[in-house]
Amino acid sequence: MVFHCDRFVYKIVQTMMENSTQVILSMRRIGKSFSGVTVLENVCLDLYAGEVHILAGENGAGKSTLMKILAGIHTEYEGEILLHDRAVRFRSPQHAAQQGISVIHQEMSLIGSLNVSDNIFLGRELAGPAGWMDYRRQNQKTQKLLGELGLELDPATPVGDFPVSVQQMIEIAKALAFDARIIIMDEPTSALAEPEVKKLFAIIDNLKARGCAIVYITHKMEEIYEIADRITVLRDGRYIGTAPAEELPQSKMVEWMIGRELTEQFPLRQSEIGPCKLHVRSLSIPDPAGTPRLAADRLSFEVHAGEIVGLAGLQGSGNSEVLHGLFGDFGPLPEAQIQINDSEYMIDTPGHAIRSGLALLTNDRKENGLVLGMNVLQNTTLASLKKFSPSGWLRPSDEIAAAQRQAKKLSLRAAGLEVEVQTLSGGNQQKVVLAKWLETQPQVLLLDEPTRGVDVGAKHEIYKLMNDLTAQGMAILLITSEMPELLAMSDRILVLHRGRLTAAFTRQQATQEKILRAAMGETGLAEE
């Protein structure tokens, strides 16, 4: 290739070309087993300077395990790692960080009671010449990092005071606090709204320009093809292949991931709408943070049998609070007038909600959806134990039969019912949460981000389950931050802005543009 340019520009172009093909790190023939079970076998990965390298695969494919080896969390493994052509074996996460490797974990590692600055520099505090903590310099560096992320926060504020989306950006700032050359991002946008995602992608562009290598793990297809330079796919702990993003179409990548061709992302939805299952009038919910503004302001809507109603809105719209309010998480809301199956429902406690036919799948399965130290069986029957102990004594045979039935229905991939759920992949953990709620036999299913952190194959299975449940007459109220999912799975879409309903669309009326405009406060869009 010949460049017709002056000497200075030629030098820049030459440096960019060298960066784009310079291998910073190589992982060779990596293998890993837990208790005799092989989770990685003969896996290879090369990282180039100035690239975004997507690590793709279904939940349980081995992506997180491979990254934990790279980050120094798992120190016993087969194979070798070459950093700048030099063999290394990281002894700990601190050792990996010293070698220029930084990690943004899917599960946030922040401590809610500590302030922003202390969280960002936890374990690597800045000290002055005499060894005393240099809080002034630490706060200044924190403010600089937050400014680069577009965040105006007081470094002295406890991180527990911020919503999850802001905490996610603080987690990103924590990973960027030191000049890492290799940055691992595991589902970094799972709790971010669209404006924050754009900020993150701008930061990624800046890191690429500085010659950093970024390993990016996500199940969002639109993100993969927006930022990827190369894609590596793992399946069942084995290396399937690597290709430039422009040479690996989505259909081929999905085939590599699941081992078969997936003919459609969303199964065909043919809904038969029945009588009203959930009738809501004048639902107002105080802001859980204690501000004077209402999280939900006199909302009225209906959800019918066989219907999926999407509840859309930007961060702070109040959509999640609506689901939690209906479920009794905020206690009694006496002004609301609610009926379930034409029977009056007075909001009280989650236990009362379950007995009344409501079930809530929350947007954080590990925080408030599962008991991680319990096994599959115990989690599956946790919300319906009275059914298996009619005289106060648990009937293990009935409990086991119910859990087996749900596991088969949901195609749960687990070695057995006695396996702790914390050892399962994200997709299978989500199936256990669904099994728990389906065992309560709900009339109305409240779903808050049901496919967050779930791979494409498991997503398809969840979509099919939603169709099956509504075909049986169940009503579903759905929150999802993935616009294609919202448009494909909803029969109607209600849009909230700052706790108020701004628009209601039928499937035929709804478009991405209309929903976003309504989510930003514009009204009167359904008639356009």
Side-chain angles (χ1 to χ4, degrees):
M1 181 180 295
V2 179
F3 292 95
H4 300 284
C5 51
D6 61 34
R7 184 186 299 266
F8 177 71
V9 174
Y10 175 79
K11 185 64 177 176
I12 293 176
V13 173
Q14 185 182 45
T15 302
M16 290 174 62
M17 290 180 64
E18 289 172 355
N19 273 348
S20 66
T21 57
Q22 176 190 353
V23 178
I24 295 181
L25 180 139
S26 294
M27 304 183 78
R28 291 281 176 263
R29 303 178 301 281
I30 301 297
K32 178 66 178 174
S33 299
F34 293 104
S35 301
V37 178
T38 300
V39 295
L40 289 175
E41 183 178 354
N42 200 30
V43 173
C44 299
L45 181 70
D46 287 333
L47 301 180
Y48 295 168
E51 76 161 350
V52 174
H53 196 127
I54 299 291
L55 187 58
E58 292 189 277
N59 289 113
K63 306 184 299 296
S64 293
T65 302
L66 186 67
M67 290 301 97
K68 286 178 179 178
I69 290 173
L70 179 56
I73 297 171
H74 295 323
T75 57
E76 298 297 325
Y77 57 89
E78 298 174 359
E80 64 176 355
I81 298 176
L82 301 177
L83 181 62
H84 300 297
D85 294 325
R86 179 174 56 86
V88 294
R89 197 171 189 92
F90 301 126
R91 301 183 299 273
S92 66
Q94 291 76 17
H95 183 210
Q98 291 167 3
Q99 302 298 313
I101 296 173
S102 189
V103 185
I104 300 170
H105 294 284
Q106 183 178 358
E107 289 82 30
M108 287 184 283
S109 58
L110 303 176
I111 299 175
S113 58
L114 293 183
N115 66 34
V116 176
S117 179
D118 287 343
N119 266 282
I120 288 177
F121 290 95
L122 186 63
R124 47 191 182 182
E125 291 80 2
L126 301 182
W132 295 97
M133 285 278 293
D134 191 341
Y135 289 106
R136 183 171 176 273
R137 185 160 62 99
Q138 192 164 286
N139 285 339
Q140 288 176 341
K141 191 162 185 177
T142 296
Q143 287 181 320
K144 182 176 183 294
L145 283 166
L146 296 175
E148 291 174 357
L149 293 171
L151 294 175
E152 296 181 4
L153 305 178
D154 181 358
T157 302
V159 297
D161 292 354
F162 297 109
V164 174
S165 61
V166 176
Q167 290 184 30
Q168 185 73 45
M169 297 299 279
I170 295 171
E171 184 81 30
I172 292 167
K174 180 179 178 180
L176 300 179
F178 294 86
D179 295 327
R181 290 296 309 278
I182 298 170
I183 301 171
I184 303 165
M185 298 186 176
D186 191 354
E187 298 281 358
T189 65
S190 60
L192 301 185
E194 186 64 26
E196 292 149 343
V197 173
K198 291 186 181 300
K199 289 178 185 176
L200 175 61
F201 288 174
I203 291 167
I204 288 174
D205 286 340
N206 181 268
L207 292 171
K208 285 176 59 178
R210 285 158 47 183
C212 295
I214 298 165
V215 184
Y216 196 97
I217 299 174
T218 180
H219 295 302
K220 298 180 180 180
M221 290 294 173
E222 66 275 13
E223 287 187 4
I224 290 176
Y225 286 96
E226 182 172 351
I227 65 172
D229 294 301
R230 291 191 303 142
I231 301 170
T232 288
V233 176
L234 304 183
R235 184 173 73 239
D236 297 330
R238 292 177 173 82
Y239 174 81
I240 301 301
T242 300
E246 65 272 14
E247 297 177 12
L248 187 64
Q250 179 175 324
S251 58
K252 187 65 176 178
M253 183 179 66
V254 171
E255 186 177 341
W256 280 12
M257 289 170 59
I258 65 178
R260 66 185 189 281
E261 184 178 1
L262 188 65
T263 55
E264 53 185 12
Q265 183 179 2
F266 300 99
L268 180 64
R269 177 156 177 75
Q270 294 178 323
S271 54
E272 292 187 13
I273 308 302
C276 182
K277 282 274 187 180
L278 177 66
H279 182 93
V280 178
R281 288 290 179 272
S282 301
L283 176 65
S284 293
I285 301 173
D287 185 356
T291 68
R293 183 177 66 84
L294 294 173
D297 191 355
R298 292 165 293 174
L299 297 181
S300 297
F301 58 88
E302 296 178 349
V303 187
H304 292 252
E307 184 180 37
I308 298 177
V309 174
L311 198 57
L314 301 177
Q315 181 71 36
S317 67
N319 52 6
S320 284
E321 285 81 357
V322 169
L323 300 196
H324 284 273
L326 288 171
F327 197 62
D329 283 346
F330 305 133
L333 301 172
E335 294 182 4
Q337 302 169 26
I338 302 173
Q339 291 181 331
I340 298 175
N341 279 347
D342 294 326
S343 297
E344 185 179 6
Y345 166 63
M346 296 294 294
I347 296 174
D348 190 5
T349 64
H352 176 64
I354 293 170
R355 292 189 296 272
S356 301
L358 290 180
L360 170 61
L361 184 146
T362 64
N363 59 23
D364 190 339
R365 57 180 171 264
K366 293 191 176 182
E367 181 67 25
N368 44 37
L370 296 166
V371 181
L372 297 176
M374 286 185 176
N375 62 32
V376 173
L377 171 65
Q378 293 164 330
N379 273 278
T380 299
T381 61
L382 190 60
S384 52
L385 278 175
K386 284 189 176 181
K387 184 167 62 173
F388 306 107
S389 50
S391 303
W393 295 94
L394 186 64
R395 295 180 178 177
S397 59
D398 293 348
E399 188 184 20
I400 291 170
Q404 288 175 334
R405 183 178 65 252
Q406 292 293 351
K408 182 178 180 181
K409 179 179 181 179
L410 295 171
S411 301
L412 180 68
R413 298 173 188 171
L417 298 179
E418 71 284 352
V419 174
E420 290 186 359
V421 294
Q422 63 188 351
T423 66
L424 301 180
S425 67
N428 284 301
Q429 287 182 354
Q430 194 75 328
K431 289 179 181 180
V432 174
V433 182
L434 282 165
K436 176 184 72 174
W437 290 122
L438 294 180
E439 194 55 38
T440 67
Q441 299 178 316
Q443 298 294 312
V444 180
L445 187 57
L446 311 175
L447 299 178
D448 193 350
E449 302 286 359
T451 62
R452 173 174 287 173
V454 171
D455 63 72
V456 64
K459 280 183 179 181
H460 194 268
E461 292 176 348
I462 291 173
Y463 300 147
K464 186 177 183 302
L465 174 66
M466 291 166 64
N467 283 348
D468 291 343
L469 293 173
T470 52
Q472 297 165 21
M474 191 179 292
I476 294 177
L477 194 56
L478 169 70
I479 295 175
T480 174
S481 56
E482 297 192 31
M483 188 64 72
E485 183 174 291
L486 179 71
L487 292 168
M489 295 304 298
S490 302
D491 300 303
R492 287 186 297 124
I493 298 174
L494 310 177
V495 187
L496 298 184
H497 171 72
R498 295 180 65 82
R500 293 187 175 182
L501 186 65
T502 54
F505 302 109
T506 64
R507 178 194 291 270
Q508 292 73 28
Q509 292 172 324
T511 65
Q512 180 172 340
E513 180 187 359
K514 286 182 179 180
I515 291 170
L516 289 175
R517 286 165 60 189
M520 290 186 285
E522 190 171 341
T523 59
L525 294 167
E527 291 76 25
E528 290 186 1

